[in-house]
């Protein structure tokens, strides 16, 4: 059953990507739909990192979560300045690792 679910979800993801990325398929999104979908990535990323940074133990805690908070603040500032997602991601991960492994052992 698990393999069937994985295969079905793989097919859904592939087909949804293929329909919009294949140039031979005459399916195009309107400009308003494209603008609406441009907010999807930041919303999903915020839903992932928000609880990790602000709710480390299931409740709001900022005192014992300093490496996460500092790395997240650095990532926001770097994203705002550089506007480069890949560079921001890689450098922010390195900053977090330095903070977490070397400074806040």
């Amino acid at each position: 059953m698990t393999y069937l679910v994985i295969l079905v979800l793989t097919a859904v993801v592939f087909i949804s990507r293929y329909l919009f990325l294949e140039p031979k398929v005459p399916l195009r999104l309107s400009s308003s739909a494209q603008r609406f979908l441009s907010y999807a990535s930041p919303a999903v990323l915020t839903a992932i990192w928000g609880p990790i940074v602000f709710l480390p133990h299931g409740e709001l805690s900022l005192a014992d979560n300093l490496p996460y908070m500092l790395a997240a603040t650095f990532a926001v500032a770097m994203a705002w300045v550089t506007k480069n997602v890949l560079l921001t991601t890689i450098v922010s991960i390195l900053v977090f690792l330095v903070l977490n492994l070397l400074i806040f052992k």
Side-chain angles (χ1 to χ4, degrees), residues 7-84:
L7 288 174
V8 168
L9 291 176
T10 302
V12 167
V13 169
F14 175 77
I15 291 169
S16 68
R17 302 293 194 272
Y18 180 79
L19 288 176
F20 294 112
L21 295 176
E22 175 59 41
K24 296 177 185 174
V25 178
L27 183 61
R28 299 286 173 246
L29 291 174
S30 67
S31 62
S32 61
Q34 288 178 351
R35 188 175 64 244
F36 176 74
L37 287 175
S38 70
Y39 298 108
S41 294
V44 169
L45 288 174
T46 302
I48 292 170
W49 71 259
I52 294 170
V53 171
F54 295 113
L55 306 168
H57 305 293
E59 58 187 38
L60 185 60
S61 175
L62 302 178
D64 62 344
N65 210 18
L66 196 55
Y68 289 92
M69 186 65 71
L70 291 174
T73 304
F74 176 82
V76 168
M78 187 170 177
W80 185 50
V81 170
T82 66
K83 309 269 192 282
N84 187 331

Side-chain angles (χ1 to χ4, degrees), residues 78-99:
M78 187 170 177
W80 185 50
V81 170
T82 66
K83 309 269 192 282
N84 187 331
V85 176
L86 182 61
L87 178 66
T88 300
T89 303
I90 292 170
V91 173
S92 299
I93 289 171
L94 292 174
V95 166
F96 172 74
L97 289 174
V98 167
L99 287 172

